[in-house]
Amino acid sequence: MNDLPNHRYAYAIDLESPTAPARALAHVPAGCTVLELGPGAGSMTRMLAARQCGVTAVERDPECQTLAAPFCAELIAGDLEQPEEWLPQLAARRFDVILACDVLEHLRDPALLLRHLPALLAPGGAFIVTIPNVAHLGIIAALLSDDFPYQEKGLLDATHVRFFTRPTLAALLEQTGWLPKHWEPIPLAPQYSEFAKHWAQIPAPLREQLAAATPHGEVYQWLVVAHPRLPDTCDLKASWHVRLRNRLQRWWS
C-alpha cells in the first residue's frame, strides 16, 4: 500500500509473508465481525476492511483514532487499561474474532482486560493474540553484554511495560478464562534482528551452546489462538450438588 500514513506504527502487510500481522490475519475469516483492541494506525484494520470484515476498534490515542477510523464500522475512544469505561458500549454484543496483536505488552495489568473478553466472543469464535518473546536469543545476547537496549520499535519497544515467554503468556490466559488452543512461532534468527551486533560479539562456541539450550530462542513473536475456557468438570459437579442441596432444603423448610 502506497498511502500509508507517516506514523511509527503504520506498516504495510504482505499477506504471503511469515510476519505476525499476516499470520494473524490468516486466522480471521472474510466477512466476520472483529473486535480489534489497540489498532494503532490501522494497518491491520484496513486489511480487515478490504476483506469485508465489520471492525469495532478500541483505541486510546487520538492520532491513531483518526487514522484507523475510516476502516472501522465503529471506533470507540477507550483506554484498554480501563475497560470498565468503554465496555458498557459493547453490552450484549458478540464478535466472531477478538484481536489483541502486540497489545498486551503495553498494559500494566493485562489480566484486568482479559477477564472481560470471553463474554464478548460469539460461540465458536477465536481470540487471537501476538506478543514479543522476551526469551529471544537476541535479548539474551544483549544481557550477556550487560545491556537491555530499549528502542523505538521491536522486542524492546520503549513503550513495553510487560514481558512474556510462551509459558507466562499461557499462564496469564488460563488465569483469565482462556484456553490456548493453537500456538505459532514467528521466527527471526538473532543475527537478523535488532540485536545482531550483540549476537556477533558472543564467541561462536557460546552461540552454539545458547542456541542448543534455548528451545524458543529464535522465536521473535508468539501467535496464539485461544477460546473461552469451559468450567472444570469437578466445578460443574460441585455446582450441581449445591443446587440440588439448596432445592431440597427449600422443599423441606
Side-chain angles (χ1 to χ4, degrees):
M1 301 219 177
N2 297 321
D3 59 340
L4 288 173
N6 183 22
H7 190 278
R8 68 188 296 250
Y9 289 131
Y11 51 87
I13 301 175
D14 177 1
L15 294 177
E16 302 301 319
S17 72
T19 61
R23 300 274 282 273
L25 288 168
H27 290 279
V28 181
C32 71
T33 57
V34 178
L35 175 61
E36 186 180 9
L37 302 172
S43 297
M44 293 187 68
T45 320
R46 63 170 57 203
M47 302 298 289
L48 291 166
R51 298 172 63 186
Q52 309 303 313
C53 293
V55 181
T56 296
V58 182
E59 175 59 54
R60 178 182 65 179
D61 182 83
E63 181 182 4
C64 288
Q65 292 169 9
T66 300
L67 294 172
F71 310 105
C72 297
E74 178 183 13
L75 190 141
I76 297 173
D79 187 345
L80 298 180
E81 299 266 25
Q82 299 176 327
E84 70 282 353
E85 294 187 355
W86 50 266
L87 277 170
Q89 299 181 56
L90 299 177
R93 300 271 297 279
R94 298 293 182 272
F95 298 89
D96 299 315
V97 174
I98 300 176
L99 285 177
C101 295
D102 293 344
V103 166
L104 300 184
E105 64 271 20
H106 296 272
L107 305 182
R108 290 167 295 179
D109 184 9
L112 182 64
L113 170 68
L114 291 173
R115 289 190 183 97
H116 291 285
L117 299 181
L120 298 176
L121 196 65
F127 179 37
I128 302 171
V129 177
T130 64
I131 57 103
N133 176 34
V134 76
H136 188 264
L137 282 168
I139 295 180
I140 294 173
L143 288 169
L144 289 174
S145 300
D146 202 20
D147 196 8
F148 197 73
Y150 282 102
Q151 301 178 29
E152 183 178 355
K153 294 181 181 180
L155 294 183
L156 297 183
D157 184 315
T159 62
H160 293 178
V161 295
R162 294 292 298 265
F163 299 93
F164 297 97
T165 62
R166 171 172 171 164
T168 57
L169 177 61
L172 174 65
L173 291 171
E174 290 167 4
Q175 291 164 7
T176 53
W178 294 98
L179 181 63
K181 298 290 288 186
H182 175 75
W183 291 88
E184 286 187 31
I186 311 298
L188 183 65
Q191 62 267 32
Y192 302 117
S193 73
E194 63 268 32
F195 305 99
K197 71 173 185 178
H198 296 93
W199 186 246
Q201 290 169 357
I202 297 176
L206 180 54
R207 288 201 300 264
E208 293 177 5
Q209 292 176 4
L210 288 172
T214 310
H216 300 138
E218 292 199 355
V219 177
Y220 192 78
Q221 292 167 281
W222 282 110
L223 181 152
V224 57
V225 180
H227 301 283
R229 181 164 51 85
L230 296 175
D232 185 79
T233 304
C234 293
D235 293 338
L236 288 173
K237 290 180 179 178
S239 176
W240 181 84
H241 285 298
V242 169
R243 291 198 303 271
L244 178 59
R245 182 195 63 195
N246 291 341
R247 183 173 299 178
L248 290 172
Q249 286 177 344
R250 287 196 300 270
W251 285 346
W252 292 102
S253 62

